[in-house]
Amino acid sequence: MRIGIGYDVHRLVRGRPLVLGGVVIPSEWGLQGHSDADVLVHAIGDALLGALALGDLGEHFPDTNPCYQGISSLTLLEEVVGMVRERGYKLSNLDSVLIAQQPRLAAHLLHMRRNLVDVLRLDLGSISVKVKTAEQLGSLGRAEGIAAYAVCLVTPHPL
Ligand code: MG
């Protein structure tokens, strides 16, 4: 078994769509970024890459490449899942936490997990997404951005 950790943070700006776990969340504020800036999916992708010491998303999908402009991060995650499989591993389970002062996200967590089921090809019971506020502490607590952490376990899988 191998374990991976991922972390990401994006700034909240007015007038961008807010996409988390592939769910478009009604909000006047969205995350700034080159892709759809889905901070949860970025943390998950980094955790998967990290489990196999393959670097991070920024290395594989650089924001200097125009073909990643506005791309769905779930599409990038699908590519990462393929890389894990090619190396003879499969994802066993995933846990993650969003740190978001606002908007309230609890009602969207199941939808995010269902999106991840499709991309990760894993059952719902092996995919955890949680949310915390920042207790109004620091920049995240002032809702200047949203952060995410993810950890995953991968196990050898015959090719
Ligand atoms: Mg990111």
Side-chain angles (χ1 to χ4, degrees), residues 2 5 15 30 44 81 85 90-91 121-122 138 144 152 157:
R2 299 178 64 132
I5 182 171
I44 292 168
V81 169
R85 282 180 178 251
K90 69 175 177 65
L91 180 58
R121 286 167 270 177
L122 204 59
E144 292 171 11
C152 70
H157 183 65

Side-chain angles (χ1 to χ4, degrees), residues 50-131:
L52 294 176
L54 292 174
D56 67 15
L57 284 181
E59 277 178 63
H60 293 277
F61 312 104
D63 61 9
T64 48
N65 186 334
C67 72
Y68 301 127
Q69 175 91 46
I71 196 171
S72 166
S73 297
L74 287 176
T75 304
L76 303 181
L77 185 60
E78 206 150 17
E79 287 202 37
V80 171
V81 169
M83 291 163 67
V84 170
R85 282 180 178 251
E86 278 167 22
R87 281 159 180 82
Y89 282 84
K90 69 175 177 65
L91 180 58
S92 179
N93 81 298
L94 166 81
D95 190 15
S96 61
V97 194
L98 280 158
I99 317 286
Q101 191 63 45
Q102 62 179 35
R104 291 289 189 246
L105 298 173
H108 301 284
L109 297 182
L110 182 58
H111 190 176
M112 293 179 203
R113 290 170 64 211
R114 287 201 173 122
N115 286 344
L116 291 166
V117 162
D118 292 339
V119 175
L120 300 173
R121 286 167 270 177
L122 204 59
D123 59 290
L124 195 63
S126 300
I127 299 173
S128 164
V129 181
K130 311 184 297 295
V131 63

